Amino acid sequence: LSSMEAAGLVSLSTAIAYTIPFVGGFLADAYLGDYKTILMGTALFYLPGLFLIASSTCPNWYLGMEKFNVTAYKVALLFFWPIGTGFVKSVVNVFGARQYHPVLQRSMIESFY
């Protein structure tokens, strides 16, 4: 992987991570709700990482290969991880602020933000 390819992949990953919160916010508001969106984002964030840890530790347990699969690394870390991050990023601030009563704990909401 050359430095130009690596820079392109990092830029793509960053673009995905900062674009997906719009989709995550829409899904949370229109279809899934806050809890399910955070759960889905967390699954998209952590499961690829766990898969990569397992496949790099024992490469032939699932993939049937003796060497590490670089394509799985690129897809998992540079595609699913930013999507999960975007889903969580879109909901977690609002979810935290909703834990306070809007009238009785107004000062706490202001300090939260």
Side-chain angles (χ1 to χ4, degrees), residues 32-76:
L32 298 175
D34 293 342
Y35 295 111
K36 290 181 183 175
T37 304
I38 290 174
L39 181 66
M40 185 173 70
T42 305
L44 284 171
F45 185 80
Y46 282 111
L47 290 179
L50 293 176
F51 171 73
L52 288 173
I53 291 170
S55 64
S56 64
T57 305
C58 302
N60 56 357
W61 73 274
Y62 177 76
L63 301 172
M65 299 178 195
E66 290 297 324
K67 63 180 187 168
F68 186 72
N69 190 353
V70 178
T71 305
Y73 174 77
K74 287 180 185 177
V75 170

